[in-house]
Amino acid sequence: MKRIHLLIALTVMLTTATTAFGQKKEPVQKREKFEFTFDLPAYVEQLKQELTYPLSWENSGIKSFKKWQKKARQKVFDCMLTPPKAAAAFDMQVVAEEQREGYRALRIAFNQNAYSRIEALVLVPDGEGPFPAVNLLHDHGAHLYIGKEKMIRPFGVEQAVIDDADAWAKNLYGSQYVGDYLARHGYVCFSADAPMWGERGREEGVDRSKYDIIAGNMMMLGRDLCGFMHYDDITATEFLATLPWVDPQRIGCMGCSMGAYRAWMLSAMSDRIKAGASICWMVTADVQMSVEDGKREYGGFANCLPGLRQWLDYPDIASLAAPKPMLFINGTKDHLFPVRGVKKAFEQMHQTWRRLGADDRLKTELWEVPHSCGVEIQKYMLDFFNQNL
């Protein structure tokens, strides 16, 4: 009997040890009946058929673009829920500065809203201003350790941040920091962390699985984390317009991946933006949430405004930016966005720009690239900004 008890104890110990060292995992508990599969409801196709987008310009029955834009923008703001309380003043301070080849790099602090005083990176070209400016909106990448440092080469921080940023630039941006590239060509460049990224992350450290829990807790407080990100992008652009080196009439924005989503959202919701570039984020919701295409939303609450899809599809919202110049590039090798959904979204946007007699201001292109923003795309984007800012 003692031998049997000893064998049982050893078995339990070995099972625990192998699980702890990742060599063996407990089997997933599964029921014979279920209602969700592939991270989607089993009735996803039925739900998609009910998405009629009554507030798209075509379906709304509103003839005037300006009247439609006003009404549709308000619906987007409604779905972003209550905004953060505004700060009494931006109260900008320069925290650190270094001279680079042809431009200065600044670390600044300012009041993003009444709750958050944050740091941002700013690049200022040498010479007489004011200069055109670009708000650089960083990506998601399921990598929350850095945010603004993905777009502008960091300095004055721990070496681990610099090493991580260099690796990220190599992976997604062809080893070229977008901000530093644009600054060398005469643009003031600004980048700040979105909530949950970089210096706006968790005290306990990076854990992607906690993002959705935190977003849920924000909703319990009557706020939306994705909405806060968009409100911050709008406010940061208004702050950018106050900087002494910036021509407030020549401000653009750009981003890749989640940054691209943020770029067309910001372009759609802010008249301060005069031109926007969106690299690798555009699709229609029916294709994005598709078992047939093997696709669903990967960003979680980073792209979740409550109830908005009941009113507007992604290209409908992007069309709120019309008739300003906009650049959209997606990759034919991009595993996140099926080409058929991208083409469909592009055509919907072109219908809006055409109705306004401004189709030449909307550039939509498919490049034979994966989910990335390499040096050739950056050069093309620079040409776009040179023509429009």
Side-chain angles (χ1 to χ4, degrees):
M1 183 66 68
K2 289 183 178 179
R3 173 184 281 182
I4 292 174
H5 287 167
L6 179 61
L7 286 172
I8 292 173
L10 286 171
T11 301
V12 172
M13 289 173 62
L14 286 170
T15 301
T16 304
T18 53
T19 302
F21 284 101
Q23 296 173 350
K24 182 178 179 180
K25 294 182 179 180
E26 292 294 324
V28 175
Q29 291 181 302
K30 297 173 66 174
R31 297 291 295 268
E32 290 184 5
K33 295 183 179 179
F34 58 87
E35 196 163 326
F36 295 84
T37 179
F38 196 64
D39 299 332
L40 292 168
Y43 44 85
V44 61
E45 294 302 323
Q46 293 167 268
L47 293 183
K48 288 196 301 185
Q49 289 174 10
E50 296 175 19
L51 296 178
T52 58
Y53 308 119
L55 205 49
S56 72
W57 192 16
E58 182 179 4
N59 296 336
S60 68
I62 301 172
K63 302 299 183 183
S64 164
F65 175 79
K66 283 295 184 182
K67 289 182 179 179
W68 171 74
Q69 184 188 53
K70 181 179 180 180
K71 185 173 183 178
R73 271 186 177 176
Q74 187 56 55
K75 177 58 68 176
V76 177
F77 279 125
D78 291 345
C79 293
M80 284 163 57
L81 303 186
T82 306
K85 185 178 179 181
F90 290 125
D91 189 23
M92 191 268 283
Q93 292 178 299
V94 177
V95 176
E97 181 176 350
E98 76 171 18
Q99 182 66 39
R100 297 181 181 174
E101 189 174 349
Y103 58 99
R104 287 180 297 144
L106 308 174
R107 285 185 68 88
I108 64 167
F110 74 103
N111 296 324
Q112 175 69 270
N113 50 52
Y115 323 123
S116 304
R117 183 168 179 81
I118 69 171
E119 289 193 3
L121 293 171
V122 179
L123 304 179
V124 182
D126 294 342
E128 293 294 324
F131 302 98
V134 180
N135 187 350
L136 300 170
L137 306 159
H138 67 74
D139 58 74
H140 186 308
H143 189 72
L144 282 65
Y145 181 61
I146 55 174
K148 58 187 176 294
E149 299 89 357
K150 294 178 178 181
M151 307 305 292
I152 293 175
R153 180 161 56 86
F155 72 104
V157 293
E158 56 266 43
Q159 189 60 44
V161 171
I162 296 173
D163 292 343
D164 197 59
D166 285 343
W168 199 258
K170 180 179 181 180
N171 177 56
L172 196 64
Y173 298 99
S175 295
Q176 178 170 267
Y177 286 93
V178 179
D180 293 74
Y181 175 67
L182 291 176
R184 289 196 298 270
H185 289 85
Y187 290 85
V188 171
C189 292
F190 169 94
S191 192
D193 297 325
M196 282 298 294
W197 271 265
E199 294 170 312
R200 302 182 72 185
R202 296 171 68 245
E203 178 184 6
E204 301 86 352
V206 174
D207 184 343
R208 170 65 182 87
S209 67
K210 300 296 185 183
Y211 185 102
D212 298 339
I213 295 174
I214 291 171
N217 286 334
M218 288 284 284
M219 284 193 173
M220 293 296 288
L221 294 166
R223 309 300 177 97
D224 181 69
L225 190 57
C226 177
F228 263 44
M229 177 176 70
H230 294 310
Y231 282 123
D232 282 356
D233 290 343
I234 293 168
T235 300
T237 305
E238 292 299 323
F239 166 69
L240 179 58
T242 70
L243 297 181
W245 320 286
V246 172
D247 180 348
Q249 300 305 315
R250 292 190 292 159
I251 297 178
C253 66
M254 73 77 54
C256 175
S257 191
M258 182 186 79
Y261 161 71
R262 294 167 66 192
W264 57 254
M265 278 290 294
L266 178 58
S267 300
M269 301 302 290
S270 171
D271 291 329
R272 181 70 71 180
I273 295 296
K274 303 305 180 185
S278 180
I279 312 303
C280 290
W281 209 118
M282 180 46 67
V283 72
T284 54
D286 64 326
V287 176
Q288 183 197 34
M289 312 290 277
S290 170
V291 176
E292 175 188 350
D293 293 282
K295 301 300 174 191
R296 68 276 205 198
E297 173 52 44
Y298 298 96
F301 281 91
N303 168 32
C304 183
L305 299 176
L308 183 55
R309 215 57 61 229
Q310 289 287 321
W311 301 96
L312 295 157
D313 200 356
Y314 299 117
D316 297 325
I317 302 168
S319 293
L320 292 170
K324 66 181 67 170
M326 293 291 295
L327 170 65
F328 290 83
I329 296 176
N330 268 64
T332 58
K333 299 179 180 179
D334 189 336
H335 68 285
L336 295 178
F337 300 104
V339 170
R340 73 181 185 94
V342 176
K343 288 182 175 179
K344 185 177 177 182
F346 284 175
E347 177 52 32
Q348 286 181 221
M349 290 188 291
H350 276 290
Q351 289 176 11
T352 300
W353 265 261
R354 278 197 293 267
R355 286 178 68 178
L356 296 173
D359 199 41
D360 59 324
R361 297 184 184 181
L362 176 63
K363 288 183 174 293
T364 58
E365 301 193 7
L366 281 166
W367 288 37
E368 195 173 343
V369 295
H371 194 73
S372 61
C373 182
V375 294
E376 289 301 316
I377 289 180
Q378 291 180 44
K379 182 179 183 300
Y380 194 83
M381 179 189 65
L382 173 65
D383 292 340
F384 169 79
F385 281 135
N386 285 343
Q387 292 170 17
N388 294 291
L389 290 181

